[in-house]
Amino acid sequence: MAKKSSLVVHEPWWMRTPLPSVFFIIILVFVVVVLFISLSYDKVEYLSPNIFDRQQVKLMSVSAEETRKEKCDLFSGRWVYDYSTQPLYSGVGCSYMNDEVACEKFGRKDLKHQRWRWQPHGCSVPRFDPKKLLNRLTGKRIVFVGDSLNRNQWVSMVCMLESAVSSDDSHSMSQNGSLRSFKAKDFNASIDFYWSPLLVESNCDDPEHHRLSDRMMRANSIDVHAQQWADADILVFNSYLWWKKPGMKMKVIYGGSFEDEDNNMEEMEMIEGFGLALKAWSNWLELHRNRSTRLFFVSLSPTHAWGYEWGAEGNQNCYNQTQPIEEEGYTGKGSDYKMMRLVEETVERLSHKGVDVQILNITQLSEYRKDGHPSIYRKFWDDLSKERVANPSQYSDCTHWCLPGVPDVWNELLYAFIVSQEQV
């Protein structure tokens, strides 16, 4: 007769312990906590500090797929070379490219500067969707107000949006004095630029002829300019470059024309004049702005005119630079943060009065991009002498930015703020 097999069941070690319930309780609590956290983190929270780490702005996620909640500084990160998704448009294919920043058109062969994508630490910049932005701008108007760097950003935005316009006859460009307007007719949207380099009235207000030997501004006078953009739904301001002329002082008049030699005039340091201009700007916003208008102020755009700042030898500058600066936190000596502190203080005072202005902090991310300037690859309005042509670094433009390029990222960040809101 065969032996009957016997089945012996051994109790697991945790059931032989005197306190089995303790383990069950610990495991149960852990599972509940994990489930609670994963289910409740249903949005991305972007923390947008300005230059001085005081201002914070929370943005709702712009992607339906985002189901985690994490704190993200959009302006702190690194540049990642991305051949697959960059650039966002063709520089030679954009109908409204400006010759001052059309580097490929004017002979730049190394186009790696177009392939860099900004990657914040711990999150990503929302992918720019031109049709989504135009849908948000339907029946609305966005105006960039400022100098040639703000125009640089505006041209970038126009090129980024042009791809979403269905046909050639559904968009147009016009100019009336200091105002340039791109119209996306299918969306009844207007994307405009208004030339106002000092924000207030000045002798530099002519959009074509403004290279003058001195700077003059009219104190507390911004109404003439404001008439051109007061009805905008989104306003993007900047003012920095024209206050940075070495050795020059600002002449402030309190009446009459700029040509009147008998004017009541005061001469002051540039930064003092900048403070007066910001005061006039903020007073206008406080008293006259449309309360539904979204307000932005773009921080200073750095230059790369002195190669020794990043360790280059000799008298090098941005000419022939093909790689970003890798040193995290790099800051060039030409960036005047005292001026941006004035902006921050002005914005903070406005916030106490119920006027919200978002500082778009493009400074640090742009500091790394010594490779992104036109240098000699742009249209120059003056005839270049043989001596200058023989020494390209002497006439290189290390202030403005090639397009496609760095300003596209500025607009991606602006896009993140705009589309994150329920209403424009």
Side-chain angles (χ1 to χ4, degrees):
M1 180 179 295
K3 286 186 177 180
K4 290 185 179 179
S5 62
S6 60
L7 180 64
V8 178
V9 179
H10 296 283
E11 292 181 344
W13 67 269
W14 48 268
M15 291 191 68
R16 298 197 303 268
T17 61
L19 296 173
S21 59
V22 172
F23 296 101
F24 282 112
I25 292 172
I26 292 174
I27 293 171
L28 181 61
V29 170
F30 177 81
V31 170
V32 170
V33 169
V34 169
L35 286 174
F36 175 81
I37 292 174
S38 63
L39 291 174
S40 63
Y41 281 11
D42 59 351
K43 66 179 181 178
V44 175
E45 196 176 290
Y46 295 107
L47 296 186
S48 156
N50 65 12
I51 297 167
F52 311 101
D53 296 325
R54 289 211 292 261
Q55 184 176 350
Q56 292 186 346
V57 175
K58 294 181 179 180
L59 298 181
M60 295 292 292
S61 169
V62 299
S63 171
E65 290 78 22
E66 296 274 18
T67 57
R68 296 176 59 247
K69 181 181 179 181
E70 53 187 71
K71 293 183 179 180
C72 175
D73 176 358
L74 285 174
F75 304 120
S76 176
R78 60 192 177 93
W79 289 95
V80 177
Y81 192 76
D82 187 346
Y83 190 85
S84 62
T85 67
Q86 303 297 314
L88 299 177
Y89 56 91
S90 166
V92 295
C94 177
S95 306
Y96 305 109
M97 180 59 67
N98 187 308
D99 281 349
E100 292 181 349
V101 294
C103 303
E104 186 176 0
K105 175 182 176 180
F106 285 88
R108 181 165 182 172
K109 302 301 182 185
D110 169 40
L111 301 179
K112 290 196 296 291
H113 67 281
Q114 300 181 1
R115 301 289 186 180
W116 293 93
R117 172 176 53 82
W118 180 246
Q119 179 61 60
H121 296 310
C123 63
S124 295
V125 177
R127 176 72 176 173
F128 186 85
D129 183 339
K131 185 140 305 192
K132 183 174 185 177
L133 181 55
L134 282 172
N135 282 327
R136 286 296 183 99
L137 294 176
T138 297
K140 294 180 170 63
R141 182 183 184 216
I142 177 172
V143 186
F144 293 79
V145 180
D147 57 27
S148 56
L149 285 163
N150 219 17
R151 183 177 63 216
N152 205 164
Q153 184 176 357
W154 168 72
V155 174
S156 162
M157 178 64 84
V158 170
C159 291
M160 291 167 78
L161 291 175
E162 185 186 11
S163 64
V165 182
S166 58
S167 61
D168 291 342
D169 59 357
S170 62
H171 58 85
S172 65
M173 181 71 73
S174 63
Q175 180 168 357
N176 182 11
S178 296
L179 182 67
R180 298 185 186 184
S181 298
F182 171 76
K183 305 288 187 184
K185 299 176 184 178
D186 291 344
F187 299 87
N188 190 27
S190 184
I191 296 87
D192 300 348
F193 168 73
Y194 184 78
W195 172 262
S196 180
L198 301 181
L199 296 180
V200 295
E201 289 183 60
S202 75
N203 66 338
C204 310
D205 286 343
D206 190 299
E208 305 296 338
H209 307 288
H210 43 248
R211 296 185 180 184
L212 305 173
S213 58
D214 58 3
R215 300 271 195 275
M216 299 175 66
M217 59 177 279
R218 181 173 284 113
N220 306 318
S221 181
I222 198 171
D223 289 344
V224 171
H225 292 326
Q227 291 174 8
Q228 302 296 321
W229 39 258
D231 65 341
D233 300 280
I234 301 173
L235 284 167
V236 184
F237 296 97
N238 94 319
S239 186
Y240 172 71
L241 183 62
W242 283 67
W243 303 94
K244 285 294 295 175
K245 188 74 171 177
M248 182 181 285
K249 292 193 175 182
M250 178 61 70
K251 296 177 180 178
V252 182
I253 65 173
Y254 294 89
S257 68
F258 293 110
E259 295 78 21
D260 188 354
E261 296 182 357
D262 297 326
N263 267 331
N264 179 16
M265 183 181 299
E266 179 183 4
E267 194 172 75
M268 62 180 62
E269 298 296 331
M270 282 293 187
I271 195 166
E272 296 177 283
F274 185 53
L276 281 181
L278 288 175
K279 182 178 180 181
W281 170 77
S282 62
N283 286 343
W284 189 93
L285 289 178
E286 182 183 352
L287 296 174
H288 302 293
R289 83 194 188 290
N290 186 327
R291 292 187 178 275
S292 64
T293 300
R294 300 287 308 283
L295 303 171
F296 296 88
F297 199 105
V298 182
S299 69
L300 65 91
S301 173
T303 62
H304 294 91
W306 305 282
Y308 70 87
E309 293 185 347
W310 60 82
E313 297 180 356
N315 296 320
Q316 295 184 46
N317 55 17
C318 69
Y319 175 65
N320 268 351
Q321 297 297 320
T322 60
Q323 294 289 328
I325 295 169
E326 295 182 1
E327 177 190 346
E328 186 167 2
Y330 167 84
T331 300
K333 295 179 181 177
S335 299
D336 189 344
Y337 285 90
K338 290 181 181 178
M339 294 183 66
M340 289 315 301
R341 287 191 186 97
L342 284 180
V343 173
E344 187 214 23
E345 291 164 1
T346 302
V347 167
E348 190 170 343
R349 283 194 295 270
L350 281 170
S351 69
H352 294 320
K353 298 177 180 179
V355 182
D356 293 324
V357 181
Q358 171 61 47
I359 295 178
L360 199 66
N361 180 12
I362 54 87
T363 304
Q364 183 61 72
L365 65 90
S366 305
E367 289 273 17
Y368 301 124
R369 294 303 305 278
K370 61 182 173 62
D371 61 314
H373 299 284
S375 67
I376 65 172
Y377 303 108
R378 51 158 289 180
K379 181 175 182 178
F380 288 91
W381 306 106
D382 299 328
D383 292 332
L384 298 176
S385 65
K386 292 182 179 179
E387 292 77 12
R388 294 185 73 188
V389 172
N391 192 349
S393 62
Q394 286 192 354
Y395 69 94
S396 288
D397 179 354
C398 298
T399 299
H400 300 93
W401 302 93
C402 292
L403 293 179
V406 174
D408 302 335
V409 171
W410 304 352
N411 282 323
E412 286 183 287
L413 296 171
L414 178 63
Y415 168 84
F417 282 96
I418 292 174
V419 301
S420 70
Q421 302 297 316
E422 291 297 324
Q423 308 237 338
V424 175

